[in-house]
Amino acid sequence: MSYNIALQFEDGVTRIIPCEANELVADAAYRAKINIPLDCRDGACGTCKCHCESGTFTMGDYIEDALADDEAAQGYVLTCQMKPTSDCVVRIPASSAACKTEVSTYAGRMARIARDSSTTVSFTLQAERPIAFLPGQYVNLLVPGSKETRSFSFSSAPNRTELAFLIRDVPNGMMSTYMRSKAQTDDFMMFSGPYGSFYLRPAVRPILMLAGGTGLAPFLSMLLWLKDNPTEQPILLGYGVNSNEDLVELGTLAELKSALPNFNFFTCVVDRESGHAKLGYVTEHLSPGDLRDGNVDVYVCGPPPMVEGVRKWMAGVGVTPKNFLFEKFSSANETAAVAA
Ligand SMILES: Cc1cc2nc3c(=O)[nH]c(=O)nc-3n(C[C@H](O)[C@H](O)[C@H](O)COP(=O)(O)OP(=O)(O)OC[C@H]3O[C@@H](n4cnc5c(N)ncnc54)[C@H](O)[C@@H]3O)c2cc1C
Ligand code: FES
């Protein structure tokens, strides 16, 4: 039995490595040629201390000087003594360069491109082998014919060879122009990743997902993953857009609703002339009860003003959710996800 261990480095790079059930995480990293910080390898020095963000494991012998009880209670681990009993996400307190690993680079063949509406394009790349990532993460895609990259979140589930994306057509944008007028099936695209801290945490309490425009993409990935890994926690998705033509993937959402009995969603449109049943911003269609007195994990993804709008709304309601994670689809090529 082998588990997937996602090693998350300080610089946002994630490497996902296989670790056998009876193998130490430090040994699995070494096998994958990743030099995570190590010294004694005996549970004595504490050099290999990392934080386990999710997953279960057993720990071998170590001394209190290397890992104090209160640190262990907070989820810190010694990777030289850690054996996984499930898939795990482990945060490494070092950069990927310091650990002599690099972000992986891939090529994908354009298998499908759909100009879904005048504002949105969706496409699927066919990779040579399944790509491991955490649902909600993104890659940097090279704009063909240039040295520029743009970040895009997967809208498909992890560990597949077919990788789907959903992108907003920004007028005169480099990638947008390529996708709108040049991209064809069988084109090759290069990308690197996966990156980002905006990924689905273990579903231990109700989940509120708020998407603005193509900010829907990472939620599709999370929901498709949840379809294969069901939870009993209630999940509500609020999906807001500017105009009717921005509303996409409604069929996929309806299918997910049939497949996940505890999942519900609503859509809303800002344009008052749209005739949509719910008008305005997503926050106008939420009630304080949706924050469940703070016993909720809130995920928000979309343009920066939308993310700030949700933050302001929560402050106005006066409820702090247990976890608040967000990804701003800023035009800068950097990870904008922060957990608070
Ligand atoms: C972590 C991360 C994940 C992302 N994931 C997605 C995703 O899944 N889907 C998606 O559609 N986008 C996503 N984005 C945004 C995406 O990376 C690009 O910035 C965006 O698609 C524009 O790229 P472009 O090359 O077409 O435009 P550019 O050539 O970068 O920009 C051209 C012009 O448009 C302006 N501009 C750029 N972006 C916007 C915008 N969003 N709104 C208004 N004006 C803009 C710029 O200021 C510039 O003047 C993500 C961004 C980040 C940081
Ligand atoms: S390397 Fe010393 S405690 Fe793990």
Side-chain angles (χ1 to χ4, degrees):
M1 173 99 195
S2 169
Y3 297 111
N4 283 328
I5 308 298
L7 301 175
Q8 278 225 309
F9 299 93
E10 268 182 355
D11 48 349
V13 170
T14 306
R15 285 284 313 271
I16 298 179
I17 58 165
C19 183
E20 300 303 320
N22 218 14
E23 189 178 19
L24 296 164
V25 170
D27 289 346
Y30 182 75
R31 201 158 43 81
K33 301 191 170 46
I34 301 174
N35 292 6
I36 58 177
L38 285 176
D39 191 357
C40 71
R41 288 179 161 264
D42 204 23
C45 70
T47 305
C48 65
K49 195 184 303 171
C50 293
H51 189 261
C52 184
E53 306 275 304
S54 70
T56 54
F57 53 86
T58 58
M59 286 284 283
D61 293 336
Y62 62 90
I63 61 168
E64 168 92 19
D65 278 351
L67 183 71
D69 288 349
D70 61 334
E71 291 178 310
Q74 289 165 33
Y76 285 92
V77 290
L78 298 174
T79 53
C80 76
Q81 298 299 312
M82 173 189 183
K83 288 181 182 173
T85 51
S86 74
D87 291 347
C88 292
V89 178
V90 178
R91 192 174 281 272
I92 313 286
S95 69
S96 58
C99 296
K100 295 203 169 40
T101 184
E102 285 178 351
V103 65
S104 304
T105 304
Y106 307 90
R109 184 182 59 78
M110 184 74 77
R112 178 193 69 97
I113 173 148
R115 278 91 185 180
D116 295 333
S117 76
S118 63
T119 58
T120 314
V121 178
S122 64
F123 63 96
T124 304
L125 296 179
Q126 181 77 41
E128 276 181 2
R129 57 178 195 277
I131 307 286
F133 59 90
L134 302 169
Q137 287 194 304
Y138 69 94
V139 287
N140 285 338
L141 278 157
L142 191 68
V143 183
S146 82
K147 290 188 173 157
E148 295 274 330
T149 61
R150 295 291 182 270
S151 308
F152 293 105
S153 309
F154 293 102
S155 62
S156 47
N159 305 318
R160 307 269 201 283
T161 52
E162 295 207 326
L163 314 167
F165 301 90
L166 189 61
I167 78 164
R168 177 169 166 232
D169 190 350
V170 175
N172 303 319
M174 260 184 101
M175 188 62 100
S176 302
T177 303
Y178 170 77
M179 287 295 170
R180 171 69 49 196
S181 32
K182 294 194 191 144
Q184 293 182 7
T185 47
D186 293 337
D187 281 0
F188 273 89
M189 294 195 76
M190 305 296 295
F191 58 94
S192 65
Y195 298 102
S197 330
F198 186 74
Y199 56 84
L200 188 68
R201 303 306 198 267
V204 292
R205 59 183 68 81
I207 297 172
L208 177 61
M209 300 173 163
L210 301 175
T214 51
L216 180 66
F219 294 121
L220 291 175
S221 178
M222 293 179 191
L223 290 163
L224 289 165
W225 185 85
L226 283 165
K227 199 170 123 187
D228 295 335
N229 301 272
T231 170
E232 289 183 359
Q233 298 294 341
I235 306 162
L236 175 64
L237 166 74
Y239 169 33
V241 296
N242 287 327
S243 61
N244 282 338
E245 58 193 354
D246 300 334
L247 271 181
V248 294
E249 299 284 357
L250 297 182
T252 311
L253 289 174
E255 278 169 29
L256 284 163
K257 187 166 153 53
S258 315
L260 294 163
N262 47 345
F263 167 61
N264 210 346
F265 72 97
F266 69 84
T267 58
C268 57
V269 177
V270 174
D271 178 7
R272 303 264 159 201
E273 310 297 311
S274 63
H276 197 78
K278 288 185 179 4
L279 297 175
Y281 297 114
V282 274
T283 46
E284 293 172 54
H285 302 285
L286 294 173
S287 71
D290 291 320
L291 289 178
R292 297 171 184 264
D293 293 327
N295 183 36
V296 63
D297 287 344
V298 178
Y299 294 79
V300 188
C301 184
M306 182 255 175
V307 176
E308 288 315 310
V310 172
R311 204 198 274 284
K312 253 190 213 153
W313 174 74
M314 288 195 310
V317 171
V319 175
T320 307
K322 195 86 181 163
N323 280 305
F324 177 59
L325 292 116
F326 63 87
E327 182 108 271
K328 291 181 179 176
F329 275 6
S330 48
S331 52
N333 239 341
E334 60 192 27
T335 312
V338 180

